[in-house]
Amino acid sequence: MSGTTTAAAALRRRAAGAGANRWVVLVVLCASLLLVAVDATVLHVAVPAVTEDLRPGGIELLWIVDVYPLVCASLLILFGTLGDRIGRRRVLLLGYALFGVASGLAALADSAQVLIAARALLGVGGAMIMPATLSILRQVFPDRRERALAIGIWSAVAAVGAAVGPLLGGFLLEHFWWGSVFLVNIPLMLVSLPVGRLLLPESKGDGRGPWDVVGALMAAAGLFGVVLGVKRLGGGESLGSLLTVPSLVVGAALLVGFVRRQRRRTYPLVDLKMFARPAFSTSVGCIVLAMLALVGLELIAAQYLQLVLGLSPLETGLRLLPLTFAAMAAGLAGARLLRRFGPRRMVCAGFCLTAFAVVLLTALGRTDDCALMVSGFVLLGFGLETTLFGAYESMLSEAPQEQAGGAAAIGETSYQLGAGIGIALLGTVMNAAYAPGLAGVPGVPASASSSAGHSLGEAYEVAAQLGGSAGAALRHAARDAFVHGLHVTLLVSAGLLLLGAVMALRLPRVMQCEPGPVELPAPRDAAESRVSV
């Protein structure tokens, strides 16, 4: 009897400690997210140095860049639901360890193949970390008002990480070799592992029924195929490519099979009934549309700044900083805005503000208009972050606490899919509007015009080879065609954003702020749940 009383008292003390230190827990979780977000973009500026040192082929270089987000997106549902089963903190700490080991392997890689494998391991670690941070946040902040503030801080940190990556990478490359962009992860992991083990509470789902191993693998393989196919389309591959169509078809078939399997199971891996709730399904759709607009526009904006205006990579990164600062401000103000206006008006207004910013940016031309650009980027960053914050908060609050890992994984997967689809869709629109402008340039052969129609960078290379008046005419026509394509792409993005505003009308009008029940953290020596195939 005394042993039972002592154990119960220990549990109460742990629960009270977790509540008292919930803001410290948030700091630990944000540090985890910052690391993953930085690693997603830090390699971009190191690609030339990696190419010079390792001499990868074209396909190998593509995999070096893409394998991290590809593997990470594919495994989010697997590790999100595994955390619900065996413990979210446990999966997070394993992710920390794997991320640190993979960072060391990447930094010391002496061949393209080793670097690809290390980047894939980093993707596995990222997939373990990302959904765990949101699901633990869901547990330690049962009151929705506090949770909204925590999610706002979490999303602001994500915006910082995306912007810091290229700047940090550029700084390190000026002073060290390219492997240093990975070595910075190791000290952070060495600190995060013991701090996370000491401060983070453990939590699980209800543990009913076995974990569906086959379903988890089907989801991972299906997402891998779909994301791979979408990324290849975004990279300029046609639907007739031998790898693109099979990847999409097989991936979609596996995901359909996964959905059917989950509907038949008594204890599904992911409770698809969550999608029957308008707030949850609408939030997921809003995340996809918001990321679709953001990533495609950022990619095209970077090309515009460097190739049309002639800015350096560092100047380009600095010019995009207003977007990041505005996103940070929106994340920090998000909780107050959500309480005042409610999810419906907040997300809808965010989409409309972003659409207005996109239309405003159509005034950009061949000359640098810094004031217009800064104004547009500030409105764009604030509007998109407002949208993403409201959608994430509504999605996470609508999901049952025992399904927090699966819900977080669905949100992060939607984020990654939206980014991939945005690059593919807006890139296709851009190319369709850009290429016709290079047909029939005076003095330029048809073969040269065809090659120049692939991209603005290639057009500049062809123009340099031609030289003389023909080269100057081609360069001038390519810039004009790119600016025209940019305007068309911006208008298409504005239409998609307005579609998102209409979709957001299905969200709840007001924010329900009743505090949820506080879940006692599970003992560390709790028996493991069964796993079935």
Side-chain angles (χ1 to χ4, degrees), residues 78-97:
L78 188 154
F79 287 120
T81 57
L82 182 62
D84 288 340
R85 175 64 55 177
I86 68 172
R88 295 150 189 156
R89 188 193 68 157
R90 179 174 298 177
V91 170
L92 179 63
L93 296 180
L94 288 173
Y96 284 164

Side-chain angles (χ1 to χ4, degrees), residues 96-108:
Y96 284 164
L98 183 58
F99 210 86
V101 171
S103 297
L105 291 175
L108 302 176

Side-chain angles (χ1 to χ4, degrees), residues 356 397 408 411 430 526 529:
F356 173 77
S397 296
M430 180 70 192
S529 301

Side-chain angles (χ1 to χ4, degrees), residues 214-304:
V214 171
L217 295 177
M218 287 177 67
L223 286 169
F224 186 91
V226 170
V227 175
L228 176 61
V230 168
K231 280 186 171 293
R232 288 181 65 84
L233 287 176
E237 295 284 345
S238 66
L239 281 173
S241 172
L242 292 178
L243 187 58
T244 302
V245 172
S247 297
L248 290 171
V249 171
V250 173
L254 285 171
L255 290 179
V256 169
F258 169 76
V259 170
R260 296 182 64 181
R261 179 180 176 88
Q262 298 309 297
R263 286 178 174 174
R264 291 196 306 264
R265 291 182 67 86
T266 305
Y267 301 106
L269 188 69
V270 176
D271 187 3
L272 298 177
K273 294 178 181 177
M274 288 190 294
F275 284 94
R277 304 179 181 184
F280 186 88
S281 57
T282 301
S283 297
V284 171
C286 289
I287 292 170
V288 171
L289 278 175
M291 285 309 302
L292 190 154
L294 174 63
V295 174
L297 289 178
E298 279 191 337
L299 179 65
I300 295 169
Q303 294 177 358
Y304 170 79

Side-chain angles (χ1 to χ4, degrees), residues 404-418:
I410 290 171
E412 294 294 342
T413 302
S414 304
Y415 187 101
Q416 298 288 343
L417 282 177

